[in-house]
C-alpha cells in the first residue's frame, strides 16, 4: 500500500520542482490542492489565507491571458509596420541621419535643423577615418530647417572616393556660444529590406530605420527636401 501522506508529499515535491523552473496555472493549482490534502483536520487552513491563495491563482490566470493577448498584439503591430514600409517606396522622405552616401557621381542633398539663428554656419564632412574632408560655409542662417548640397569634392577640389561620410553643422549664436548639431538626409525611397524583422528603407544609398523618418512627401515632391 502507498502511504497517502507520502504520496501527497511526492506530488508536492514534484510540483515544487516544476515551479522552480516556471510556475504555471496547473502547478499553482496542484500546490493548492496538495496543501488542502495535507492540512490537519483539527487545524484546518485559515479562511483568510485560503481566499488569498485563490486570489493569487485568479491573478495568475488573468496575467497569463493578458500576456498571450499582448504577444498577439505585438505580432500584428510588427506586421502592420512591415507592410506600411512598402507603401513608402517611390516617395520622398526626410530622415534623421548624420551619414552621407556618396556614389562618386551624383551630388548629395542633406540638411539639419537650426535651433536658433547663428552666424558663420558651417557644414563639416568627415571621411571614414574621422578627418575633416570638406567644409561648406553657409554664412548667417536663421532658425529652422536648412539644406545643403555636396558635390563629393574635398577642400582641395579633388573628387573623393565613393563611400559613406559623416557630417555635422555648427555656428555661433548671438550669445557667443558655438552651436553644433547632427543632420538629416532626404531622398526617394528606392526599396525596403528587413533586419531582425524590422523594416529598413533604402534612401539615397543609405539604410534608414522607419523610426528615423521625420517626414514623407508624395512621389512628385522635389528631391531637394
Amino acid at each position: 500500500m502507498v502511504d497517502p501522506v507520502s504520496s501527497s508529499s511526492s506530488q508536492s515535491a514534484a510540483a515544487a520542482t516544476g515551479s522552480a523552473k516556471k510556475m504555471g496555472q496547473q502547478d499553482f493549482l496542484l500546490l493548492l490542492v496538495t496543501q488542502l490534502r495535507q492540512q490537519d483536520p483539527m487545524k484546518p487552513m485559515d479562511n483568510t489565507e485560503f481566499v488569498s491563495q485563490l486570489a493569487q491563482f485568479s491573478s495568475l490566470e488573468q496575467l497569463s491571458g493578458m500576456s498571450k493577448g499582448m504577444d498577439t498584439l505585438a505580432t500584428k503591430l510588427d506586421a502592420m509596420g512591415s507592410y506600411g514600409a512598402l507603401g513608402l517606396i517611390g516617395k520622398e522622405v526626410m530622415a534623421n541621419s548624420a551619414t552621407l552616401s556618396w556614389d562618386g557621381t551624383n551630388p548629395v542633398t542633406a540638411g539639419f535643423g537650426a535651433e536658433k539663428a547663428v552666424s558663420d554656419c558651417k557644414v563639416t564632412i568627415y571621411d571614414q577615418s574621422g578627418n575633416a574632408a570638406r567644409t561648406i560655409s553657409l554664412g548667417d542662417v536663421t532658425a529652422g530647417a536648412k539644406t545643403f548640397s555636396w558635390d563629393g569634392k574635398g577642400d582641395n577640389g579633388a573628387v573623393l572616393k565613393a563611400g559613406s561620410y559623416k557630417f555635422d553643422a555648427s555656428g555661433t549664436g548671438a550669445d557667443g556660444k558655438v552651436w553644433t548639431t547632427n543632420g538629416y538626409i532626404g531622398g526617394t525611397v528606392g526599396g525596403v529590406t528587413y533586419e531582425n524583422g524590422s523594416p529598413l528603407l533604402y534612401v539615397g544609398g543609405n539604410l534608414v530605420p522607419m523610426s528615423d523618418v521625420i517626414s514623407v512627401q508624395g512621389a512628385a515632391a522635389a528631391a531637394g527636401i
Side-chain angles (χ1 to χ4, degrees):
M1 297 182 62
V2 178
D3 185 354
V5 175
S6 299
S7 177
S8 297
S9 298
S10 298
Q11 293 178 357
S12 178
T17 300
S19 64
K21 297 179 179 179
K22 183 178 181 180
M23 173 65 78
Q25 298 179 30
Q26 295 299 324
D27 298 322
F28 190 94
L29 186 59
L30 178 58
L31 286 172
L32 183 61
V33 172
T34 302
Q35 185 176 1
L36 290 173
R37 288 176 177 174
Q38 291 184 338
Q39 68 178 340
D40 187 347
M42 302 302 295
K43 296 180 180 180
M45 181 186 300
D46 181 72
N47 288 336
T48 302
E49 182 180 355
F50 181 67
V51 171
S52 175
Q53 293 187 7
L54 285 178
Q56 293 179 33
F57 175 74
S58 178
S59 297
L60 178 64
E61 187 175 19
Q62 292 177 8
L63 288 174
S64 177
M66 184 182 297
S67 177
K68 292 179 181 178
M70 292 299 291
D71 289 342
T72 301
L73 178 60
T75 299
K76 291 182 178 180
L77 288 176
D78 287 343
M80 290 175 61
S82 298
Y83 290 128
L86 298 177
L88 295 178
I89 295 177
K91 295 187 176 181
E92 297 290 331
V93 301
M94 285 195 306
N96 289 317
S97 178
T99 301
L100 299 174
S101 181
W102 165 239
D103 62 7
T105 303
N106 300 302
V108 180
T109 298
F112 60 91
E115 298 178 358
K116 56 185 178 181
V118 296
S119 60
D120 193 25
C121 183
K122 296 178 180 178
V123 172
T124 304
I125 300 171
Y126 304 90
D127 62 20
Q128 292 81 357
S129 299
N131 300 315
R134 175 75 179 274
T135 300
I136 301 174
S137 296
L138 301 180
D140 298 342
V141 300
T142 57
K146 308 300 172 184
T147 61
F148 67 92
S149 180
W150 177 46
D151 56 9
K153 296 180 180 180
D155 284 330
N156 59 3
V159 177
L160 302 177
K161 64 179 181 180
S164 294
Y165 293 80
K166 298 290 184 180
F167 77 95
D168 61 28
S170 63
T172 304
D175 55 4
K177 295 182 179 180
V178 176
W179 163 85
T180 302
T181 184
N182 290 327
Y184 53 77
I185 59 173
T188 304
V189 179
V192 178
T193 187
Y194 295 88
E195 185 176 293
N196 297 325
S198 299
L200 298 174
L201 310 178
Y202 283 104
V203 181
N206 297 295
L207 281 177
V208 177
M210 282 192 64
S211 59
D212 286 346
V213 174
I214 56 179
S215 72
V216 180
Q217 299 179 357
I225 305 180

